[in-house]
Amino acid sequence: MTQAPTPTADTVRRLARSLLQDSGKGGGSGGAQSAAGPAVRPAAASAEPATWWVGTRHVLRLAPDREASVRRRRELRLRDLVRPHVPVALPSAVAHGEWAPGLFCSLDTRLAGGTAEEHRVSAVGEADLAGLLTGLREVPVRQAETLGVPRVPPRSLETLRRAAGEAAGRLAEADEFDPDRLNRLTPPAAVQLAAQSGTAVLVHHALTGGHLVVSADGRVRGVLGWDAAVVGDPAEDIAGLALAVGAPAAVRAATLAGYGARPCLRGLWLARCDAVRHLAEALTGRTAPPPALRTRLRHAWEPIMLERVTDLDRADDTP
């Protein structure tokens, strides 16, 4: 496979200028301009940044390989399919093309606001998340699959439970986690919380804190990162929200969206097992794990009222 070139500020600036001109927006990116093009800067610290702010109104995303290029092209069409069904904003593509042979790029509108890592989601913001989950359930699955969105089977919670148990032992040795907390998810409970057949919906599958655009007053104004979307288990998005905004907020949003105890508790335990595994994996590396992993672990293990009043072995079957 051909090695992708390393994007630099100069190449990104020229590319952004070309895309803006092709879109008919000229210098309308906002912010400082130069003879070479609009002001650009990486959206995140990285040796080879793939996302760049362009002025104050746009963001340029560079696919690093051909597989990502396929997902990014599909994402543009998927966002158009999803947009009418959800109450939050999705980015719109101003222009797109190739930034290197065979490598896709898109210049998107920049959604105003911070992230869920910067702002706490309010009660009204939880209603926004409920609207998102409701809308995803309403997106026609057949149309999403026609666009190329893959269908993935639900994960085995029992397999995940065993893997998390091993990981919890390593975290206990590092004084990071009490492995006894996993004991509530018994093998029978893991079976009881298996995904039900016929419940597959469009799943964002990457509802991280960085992909939730949150205003200072706690409203969820937009959602980014649609290239990872799949048709599958809706509990995966409940799990993503538990890691991003905390288990209580995630379960309240899912309940408002009409999900019953089974998918809510399944999502909760997917999040908890994932959080334990991911932190344990990071601790085996040579560098300190990112603080975000400990935050996600804390979020996932926040207590919820539903858990106190529900027998895991007899969880409600409501989808």
Side-chain angles (χ1 to χ4, degrees), residues 46-253:
S46 172
E48 298 182 8
T51 305
W52 294 72
W53 300 129
V54 178
T56 58
R57 302 175 187 170
H58 299 99
V59 57
L60 179 66
R61 301 172 65 214
L62 311 175
D65 53 48
R66 293 181 184 274
E67 181 179 343
S69 293
V70 172
R71 294 197 307 270
R72 296 285 172 80
R73 290 181 188 276
R74 181 179 68 219
E75 179 182 11
L76 301 191
R77 301 189 297 274
L78 179 63
R79 290 191 310 217
D80 289 339
L81 176 63
V82 172
R83 193 172 284 112
H85 297 279
V86 298
V88 297
L90 277 63
S92 297
V94 172
H96 57 83
E98 291 188 350
W99 71 279
L103 301 183
F104 184 73
C105 68
S106 65
L107 185 68
D108 290 349
T109 54
R110 182 175 178 179
L111 302 183
T115 70
E117 295 167 348
E118 300 168 298
H119 302 305
R120 185 176 183 85
V121 173
S122 67
V124 181
E126 291 176 16
D128 296 329
L129 292 175
L132 171 67
L133 295 176
T134 299
L136 287 173
R137 197 168 55 215
E138 294 174 350
V139 174
V141 166
R142 183 166 296 180
Q143 286 184 249
E145 291 182 313
T146 299
L147 296 179
V149 176
R151 181 180 286 263
V152 299
R155 291 189 287 171
S156 164
L157 191 54
E158 171 57 21
T159 300
L160 196 58
R161 183 193 69 84
R162 291 196 298 267
E166 296 175 2
R170 299 197 298 273
L171 291 183
E173 293 174 359
D175 199 25
E176 293 274 359
F177 183 75
D178 178 2
D180 289 342
R181 302 172 77 182
L182 277 169
N183 291 342
R184 178 161 168 74
L185 183 63
T186 63
V191 172
Q192 184 68 18
L193 294 178
Q196 300 298 284
S197 61
T199 59
V201 301
L202 181 68
V203 179
H204 181 282
H205 219 236
L207 288 178
T208 63
H211 284 159
L212 298 176
V213 180
V214 181
S215 58
D217 63 358
R219 292 293 303 272
V220 178
R221 301 296 187 180
V223 179
L224 312 175
W226 291 87
D227 61 314
V230 301
V231 171
D233 181 6
E236 293 287 358
D237 276 348
I238 299 172
L241 290 177
L243 295 170
V245 302
V251 170
R252 285 193 295 265

Side-chain angles (χ1 to χ4, degrees), residues 212-298:
L212 298 176
V213 180
V214 181
S215 58
D217 63 358
R219 292 293 303 272
V220 178
R221 301 296 187 180
V223 179
L224 312 175
W226 291 87
D227 61 314
V230 301
V231 171
D233 181 6
E236 293 287 358
D237 276 348
I238 299 172
L241 290 177
L243 295 170
V245 302
V251 170
R252 285 193 295 265
T255 302
L256 282 173
Y259 285 107
R262 179 193 293 273
C264 287
L265 291 172
R266 175 174 167 80
L268 176 70
W269 283 101
L270 287 172
R272 288 176 170 178
C273 292
D274 281 343
V276 168
R277 291 188 310 113
H278 294 161
L279 181 56
E281 290 169 3
L283 286 174
T284 63
R286 296 183 178 180
T287 59
L293 291 180
R294 291 190 173 92
T295 299
R296 292 169 191 167
L297 182 71
R298 185 179 71 253

